[in-house]
Amino acid sequence: MSMKIFTCVLAMTAALTAQAQPRVMEVKTQKAGAAVSPTMYGLFFEDINYAADGGLYAELVKNRSFEFPNAFTGWDISGRVELRNDGPFDKNPHYVRLSPSGHRDKHTMIENHGFFGMGLQGGEEYRFSVWARVPDGGKAKLYVDLVENATMSDDQKLGNAGLDVSGKEWKKYTAIVKPKKTCEKAHLRLWGDSKVTTDVEHVSLFPVKTWKGRENGMREDLARALNDMKPGVFRFPGGCIVEGTDLATRYQWKNTVGPVENRPLNENRWHYTFTHRYFPDYYQSYGLGFFEFFQLCEDFGCEPLPVLSVGLACQFQNGLDAHAGMDELQPYIDDCLDLIEFANGPADSKWGRVRAEMGHPEPFNMKYIGIGNEQWDTPYFERLKPFVAAVRTKYPKIKIVGTSGPDSEGKMFEKGWEAMKTQKADLVDEHFYRPETWFLATPEAKKKYGNCGALRYDSYDRKGPKVFAGEYACHGAGKKWNHYETSLYEAAFMTGLERNADIVEMATYAPLFAHVEGWQWRPDMIWYDNLRMFKSVSYYVQQMFAMNKGTNVLSLTTADPQNGKKQVPVAGQEGMDGLYASSVLDAETGEVIVKVVNTSKQPKAVQLNLQGMKGERTAQTLTLSWDGSMDDENTLDQPEKITPKPGITPVTADKKCSVLTDEVPAMSFRMYWVKK
Ligand code: AHR
C-alpha cells in the first residue's frame, strides 16, 4: 500500500470512529433537583406591530369613537357629516352627526377601512353595534353595508343590515351581519335616512366567534395560539409602551378598565418611533385593557405579570427633565397599589368593585408586579424605592420585579443588578436581543459580551433576586426575520435557562405579535394578516419548552472535552461539537424529559445513560429539523412548512442503567420522553 493510500485510509477510519463515538451524557433520573417554576416559560405582550388594535383585539373598526387627532382617520365621509363633541361618553366626547343632504339620492355616508381593511369570513356572523339617537326626536333608519370595494352593485354587497333608531336619548343598537363570502379587505359603510338627522358614536364590528365568545373579545385564532403554548406567565402591557415617549402618553391602566365606550384613546409610540416604518394611524383604543389581560391569564391558567410606569418616561428618548420628580411620584405609587386592589381586592373595595362590575367579583389572585421597563441608573433606583416600600407595607406577599435596563451586560447592567439586590427586588427583568454568536456563546461573543449563551446563568449569585428573562430573541446579524437558524439557537440557549431553573423563574420571548402589513419590529413570535396567521419556528421552540418544562431539573452532564475526568454540562463549549442539552423530571407524569440541540452541520451520535432506570423502554421523541435553507421560515402561505415531528426511539437495557442511543440530525432540536 502506498503511503498516500495508507494515510487516506487512516484518515477515513479516524473520521468513522469520530462519527461512531457518541457523546455520552449522564442523566441522574433518580435525583430530582431544583423545582422548575410553573411560570418558567411564558408570554410577553406589547401593543407593537398592531398587536392589540388590528391584532389580538378583534374589533374591526379603526377610530370607532372619532377620537383620533384627525377625527376622520380611517373613515371616508360624504354628504353632510359633522363632528361634534358633546357625546354621551365624557372621556370620548366626539361623535358624528349625519344630516340629510336635501336630495333623496345624495347620500350622507361614512365608510370605515378597518386595519389594513377588515377580514371577514364568508358565512360567519359579525356583530355590528353603534350608539345612536335622533336629535330632533322621532324615528330614523340607519343602514350598514359590508362591502369589498367601492363599486359593488347592491347584490354584490358582502352583507347588510338596517337599524331602526328612535328618540332623543343615546342608545346602543346592534345587528348581526353575515357576509356572503370571505374578504380580506372589506369596508364598513354606514349611511343614514335621507330625511332625518341621526347622531352616531362608537361604531363597532366584531366577529361573533371570538375567543370564548366574548363580545368585547379577542381574535380566536390568535388567542388559541397563545393558549396552545400553555404559558406559565403573561407579562403585559409592554415594553416601552409602559413608559411612553413622554409621561402624558405612558400606559395608564385606569384608562383601560370600565365600559369600552369610555376608555380614552392613547397615542401608540410605535406609530412614529421608526421613520422607516411610519404608521400615523396607530393608536391605542384600550379595548384590550387590564381586565381583558387578567381574563386571558385566567383562560390560559397562567400568572399575570403587569408592568407599570415608575414615573420615568422612556430613558432612551428623554433627558432627565422628562420624568416625574421625586415629590410627584405619589399618583404613580397609587396606581400601583390600586392595581393590586383591582386584581385582588374584595368586590366591595374601591377598585375591586370596578372589577366586579366588569363581571369578575372573584379576585384574579395576582402574585407579581413589574415596576419600570428597561430603566437604569440613579433616576430609576431612587424612584423604585418608595414603590417597594409601599407595596411591601400594604401587600407583603406580592413579588416585585425590577429591571436591569436594556443591556444584557456591561456597567449599567451590573449597576442595575446591584441596586435590585440592595432593594431586595424578588426578580430582575433582563432583556437581550442579540445575534447568533451571543446565543451560541462563541469565543468572539464571550470576548465582546462576557456572560452569554447557555452557560450564562451557571455563574449567577444564588442568594440574590431571581431572573426574569423578560424580553429576548436571537436577531440574525443582517437577517432580522424568523428564520430557522436563529430559532434553533434560541433552543440551544434555552437549555441553559432550564438547567438553571433554580435561579431563572420566568422567561418570555419578545415581541409576541406582528401584522404582516404593520410591523415595526422583527423577528416576532406570531404573524398574521386580517384572516390568516402563522406560528414562527421560534413559537414552536417556545412551545416545546413550555409544554415540557417538567417539575424538577435533572443533572445532565458529559465528560469535559478539555479534561475527560470532569463532568460538565452540555452547553456548546469548545469540543462539545455544537451540542446543548438539558433534562427535567415531570413528577406528575413520571416522565424523564431530555432536550438535545445539535447546532452543528453534522448529525451527532448521542448516548443518554439514564441512571436510576433499568430495563428496556421506548422513548417518544419530538424533532424540529429542517433540510432546506437555514434562512427559511414559516409564512402565511406555508404556515406549517417547519414544524416539530413526533417519533420514537428504543431505549436499551445496559448492566448499569437504561441507555438511549440516537443520532440527532444536523441543525436540529430533539426532545425525548421516557417513562420512569
Ligand atoms: O420588544 C420591543 C421593545 O424592545 C420593547 O418595547 C422594549 O422593552 C425593548 O427595547
Side-chain angles (χ1 to χ4, degrees):
M1 197 187 288
S2 79
M3 197 57 189
K4 220 171 168 186
I5 296 175
F6 179 67
T7 321
C8 187
V9 169
L10 262 187
M12 275 168 66
T13 319
L16 276 176
T17 322
Q19 257 189 8
Q21 286 283 321
R23 163 71 51 197
V24 180
M25 304 182 196
E26 305 293 336
V27 187
K28 292 191 179 148
T29 76
Q30 75 281 39
K31 210 171 157 213
V36 179
S37 168
T39 57
M40 186 68 175
Y41 307 105
L43 300 167
F44 158 77
F45 182 93
E46 173 164 28
D47 191 3
I48 182 172
N49 308 320
Y50 289 82
D53 298 282
L56 181 60
Y57 185 49
E59 173 64 271
L60 294 166
V61 178
K62 180 168 64 193
N63 189 15
R64 62 187 173 189
S65 295
F66 310 98
E67 294 300 329
F68 280 32
N70 173 354
F72 291 110
T73 298
W75 294 92
D76 283 331
I77 57 171
S78 48
R80 286 181 58 202
V81 179
E82 183 195 347
L83 181 73
R84 300 174 67 94
N85 68 358
D86 57 345
F89 308 112
D90 61 324
K91 292 181 188 151
N92 286 324
H94 292 97
Y95 64 97
V96 156
R97 174 156 294 177
L98 308 175
S99 300
S101 65
H103 189 292
R104 193 193 57 188
D105 292 333
K106 212 176 195 179
H107 295 293
T108 294
M109 285 195 276
I110 56 175
E111 180 167 312
N112 193 274
H113 303 183
F115 301 89
F116 315 102
M118 295 176 185
L120 302 177
Q121 300 279 5
E124 288 292 337
E125 291 185 329
Y126 290 81
R127 184 179 289 105
F128 170 82
S129 70
V130 63
W131 285 77
R133 69 172 179 180
V134 184
D136 303 322
K139 290 183 178 164
K141 194 97 187 166
L142 270 181
Y143 300 94
V144 190
D145 293 339
L146 300 178
V147 297
E148 186 160 15
N149 57 52
T151 55
M152 299 179 101
S153 63
D154 207 37
D155 62 348
Q156 282 175 325
K157 284 175 182 169
L158 297 166
N160 53 1
L163 294 167
D164 293 312
V165 180
S166 64
K168 291 183 180 178
E169 299 304 316
W170 285 101
K171 278 178 266 177
K172 183 176 176 180
Y173 297 86
T174 59
I176 298 293
V177 195
K178 218 184 210 181
K180 284 191 277 206
K181 60 169 192 160
T182 297
C183 176
E184 192 200 335
K185 290 184 176 288
H187 286 182
L188 181 149
R189 195 173 289 164
L190 184 64
W191 47 287
D193 203 301
S194 59
K195 296 196 194 76
V196 187
T197 294
T198 316
D199 291 339
V200 296
E201 157 68 316
H202 198 89
V203 183
S204 168
L205 184 73
F206 271 90
V208 168
K209 204 162 136 198
T210 56
W211 170 250
K212 303 261 176 204
R214 293 182 184 124
E215 287 201 12
N216 185 51
M218 306 301 135
R219 230 176 100 162
E220 213 273 340
D221 56 343
L222 300 182
R224 183 166 300 284
L226 303 186
N227 185 62
D228 288 351
M229 221 191 84
K230 299 243 179 310
V233 65
F234 191 141
R235 171 185 169 205
F236 54 86
C240 294
I241 218 163
V242 169
E243 306 153 82
T245 300
D246 42 45
L247 284 177
T249 56
R250 73 187 186 281
Y251 195 101
Q252 299 190 54
W253 75 266
K254 286 175 181 165
N255 288 338
T256 76
V257 296
V260 280
E261 292 87 347
N262 211 19
R263 300 185 191 174
L265 186 82
N266 194 14
E267 186 177 287
N268 188 318
R269 58 157 290 152
W270 299 109
H271 109 205
Y272 49 67
T273 303
F274 301 122
T275 50
H276 62 290
R277 304 290 302 171
Y278 177 44
F279 294 93
D281 63 347
Y282 194 7
Y283 284 79
Q284 302 181 77
S285 74
Y286 284 150
L288 164 52
F290 263 45
F291 180 84
E292 290 77 18
F293 281 125
F294 281 117
Q295 212 171 29
L296 282 174
C297 293
E298 201 167 67
D299 298 343
F300 303 156
C302 67
E303 297 299 337
L305 168 47
V307 182
L308 297 184
S309 161
V310 69
L312 290 169
C314 179
Q315 284 174 274
F316 277 120
Q317 295 172 308
N318 293 286
L320 275 182
D321 50 348
H323 312 305
M326 290 302 291
D327 55 347
E328 295 166 331
L329 277 186
Q330 198 52 48
Y332 297 80
I333 297 171
D334 290 345
D335 275 357
C336 177
L337 299 176
D338 292 345
L339 175 64
I340 303 173
E341 186 175 287
F342 173 78
N344 296 351
D348 58 358
S349 60
K350 180 177 171 198
W351 287 101
R353 185 172 306 123
V354 177
R355 182 195 70 235
E357 280 166 2
M358 292 183 77
H360 203 288
E362 317 76 36
F364 282 117
N365 196 18
M366 166 184 130
K367 300 187 183 76
Y368 299 90
I369 196 156
I371 304 171
N373 171 65
E374 289 192 349
Q375 325 291 172
W376 65 85
D377 216 349
T378 315
Y380 175 49
F381 309 149
E382 61 186 17
R383 279 171 182 77
L384 180 64
K385 250 188 209 162
F387 280 83
V388 173
V391 174
R392 295 278 187 240
T393 308
K394 200 160 175 198
Y395 299 106
K397 286 195 182 140
I398 293 284
K399 288 192 179 179
I400 296 176
V401 184
T403 145
S404 52
D407 296 325
S408 49
E409 56 279 308
K411 258 197 194 149
M412 269 315 158
F413 170 83
E414 279 159 29
K415 211 171 162 187
W417 259 96
E418 275 319 305
M420 294 311 105
K421 280 183 188 168
T422 313
Q423 298 206 26
K424 296 201 166 57
D426 296 289
L427 291 103
V428 177
D429 178 10
E430 300 187 340
H431 294 180
F432 29 95
Y433 298 104
R434 292 285 186 253
E436 297 91 330
T437 50
W438 189 98
F439 278 79
L440 295 178
T442 60
E444 316 85 78
K446 279 200 251 172
K447 216 166 170 191
K448 180 167 177 195
Y449 300 107
N451 215 358
C452 57
L455 286 170
R456 175 179 177 87
Y457 294 111
D458 291 42
S459 55
Y460 266 49
D461 177 5
R462 265 45 196 176
K463 293 194 202 90
K466 302 271 184 186
V467 173
F468 169 34
E471 287 184 34
Y472 71 92
C474 181
H475 281 202
K479 292 179 190 173
K480 283 203 178 178
W481 64 86
N482 288 91
H483 56 296
Y484 179 80
E485 187 175 5
T486 47
S487 306
L488 185 73
Y489 297 164
E490 285 156 6
F493 165 73
M494 288 173 79
T495 60
L497 297 177
E498 189 156 280
R499 195 182 49 258
N500 287 284
D502 61 320
I503 179 86
V504 182
E505 191 164 321
M506 42 179 85
T508 55
Y509 177 98
L512 181 57
F513 280 132
H515 193 294
V516 290
E517 292 182 62
W519 61 268
Q520 295 85 44
W521 182 293
R522 59 180 186 170
D524 306 288
M525 201 156 91
I526 297 169
W527 288 81
Y528 44 86
D529 64 10
N530 289 346
L531 291 172
R532 301 171 298 166
M533 59 89 79
F534 73 89
K535 298 163 178 170
S536 67
V537 184
S538 292
Y539 172 94
Y540 289 108
V541 166
Q542 293 293 322
Q543 190 185 42
M544 283 170 77
F545 274 89
M547 291 185 63
N548 301 285
K549 58 179 172 277
T551 52
N552 297 82
V553 181
L554 293 177
S555 159
L556 182 153
T557 56
T558 190
D560 186 347
Q562 317 303 330
N563 162 12
K565 285 187 194 142
K566 227 168 84 188
Q567 286 284 313
V568 291
V570 181
Q573 308 93 313
E574 220 176 306
M576 207 63 85
D577 299 335
L579 285 173
Y580 296 74
S582 58
S583 179
V584 290
L585 170 75
D586 190 326
E588 280 148 32
T589 61
E591 280 166 334
V592 169
I593 306 169
V594 180
K595 302 181 180 87
V596 179
V597 182
N598 177 9
T599 64
S600 85
K601 303 282 186 303
Q602 306 300 326
K604 292 285 166 211
V606 297
Q607 176 180 327
L608 303 175
N609 291 342
L610 302 170
Q611 294 180 19
M613 285 169 70
K614 292 258 178 249
E616 295 177 351
R617 285 170 176 74
T618 301
Q620 306 292 320
T621 63
L622 190 64
T623 307
L624 190 62
S625 69
W626 184 239
D627 290 337
S629 159
M630 292 295 104
D631 286 352
D632 282 353
E633 60 180 329
N634 291 335
T635 61
L636 283 175
D637 292 330
Q638 288 183 287
E640 294 185 357
K641 183 171 167 176
I642 311 173
T643 56
K645 305 281 184 305
I648 48 169
T649 300
V651 177
T652 56
D654 194 64
K655 268 191 211 139
K656 284 194 190 148
C657 62
S658 304
V659 174
L660 188 158
T661 44
D662 192 19
E663 189 175 77
V664 184
M667 295 296 280
S668 75
F669 170 22
R670 179 164 288 173
M671 189 162 58
Y672 304 88
W673 293 267
V674 195
K675 268 260 186 247
K676 271 200 92 175

